[in-house]
Amino acid sequence: MTDTRRTVHLAVYDTLADWETGHTTAHLARGGFTVRTVGPTTDPITTMGGLRVLPDLALADLRPEDSALLMLPGAGLWDSGDTLAPFARAARGFLDAGVPVAAICGATAGLAREGLLDERTHTSAVSFYLAATGYRGGGSYVDADAVTDGDLITAGPTEPVAFAREVFARLGVYEGKKLDAWYRLFHDSDAAAYEILNTGS
């Protein structure tokens, strides 16, 4: 039986931005987590890069109590209508249940439209991108690579490594020196961090 404390759900939908969650999912799996994909239905979706993904489960079957974290990648669909609004509503359910949500790129705009950024510190691509949603959280916007506010993680589209770092910190995948070393290795190409990451010293 799957340990829900070690299961992370990755939302997948057409036009998903392939590059934004690769670091996160790969190292979650290496850290002993199970990554399950959740789509609008269980029909295949096609990413921005043309990859076809068959979701493990449909959004209607996703429950916060079965998950350690919900991850929402960016996608062109976030800015072209309300197709992905049900995923933002699911994020509200997760946050209300005390289960973390991590959103990057266009998914932050979806959360803004849902009102989930009005009173939480957050970031995105740029402040005016979120301002265009009409949300009321502009005063809580931070110009940073990634931001964690309690159970909510946000990041912009050019920061997949920082996004991963925040997820790892929140779930305890890497901590302290190892977390810093992981970030320096993959963000800064710091070869000296490799030994720290693999030996802890």
Side-chain angles (χ1 to χ4, degrees), residues 137-159:
S140 298
Y141 185 90
V142 178
D143 188 10
D145 54 6
V147 171
T148 297
D149 183 341
D151 288 327
L152 179 65
I153 297 166
T154 52
T158 61
E159 299 296 342

Side-chain angles (χ1 to χ4, degrees), residues 60-110:
D61 298 321
L62 178 66
R63 302 184 310 167
E65 58 266 35
D66 295 333
S67 187
L69 179 139
L70 173 62
M71 196 181 328
L72 300 174
L77 286 178
W78 282 113
D79 297 318
S80 61
D82 296 328
T83 303
L84 299 184
F87 285 91
R89 290 194 291 273
R92 177 180 292 280
F94 268 63
L95 293 171
D96 287 348
V99 181
V101 172
I104 184 169
C105 188
T108 62

Side-chain angles (χ1 to χ4, degrees), residues 11-114:
V12 295
Y13 21 70
D14 287 334
T15 72
L16 179 152
D18 306 63
W19 64 91
E20 292 177 344
T21 60
H23 286 92
T24 310
T25 56
H27 289 270
L28 283 171
R30 290 187 66 184
F33 283 80
T34 297
V35 178
R36 300 193 70 205
T37 54
V38 53
T41 67
T42 54
D43 293 336
I45 64 93
T46 303
T47 71
M48 197 176 293
L51 303 180
R52 283 171 55 85
V53 177
L54 184 65
D56 293 313
L57 73 158
L59 182 61
D61 298 321
L62 178 66
R63 302 184 310 167
E65 58 266 35
D66 295 333
S67 187
L69 179 139
L70 173 62
M71 196 181 328
L72 300 174
L77 286 178
W78 282 113
D79 297 318
S80 61
D82 296 328
T83 303
L84 299 184
F87 285 91
R89 290 194 291 273
R92 177 180 292 280
F94 268 63
L95 293 171
D96 287 348
V99 181
V101 172
I104 184 169
C105 188
T108 62
L111 298 189
R113 293 185 191 97
E114 182 65 20

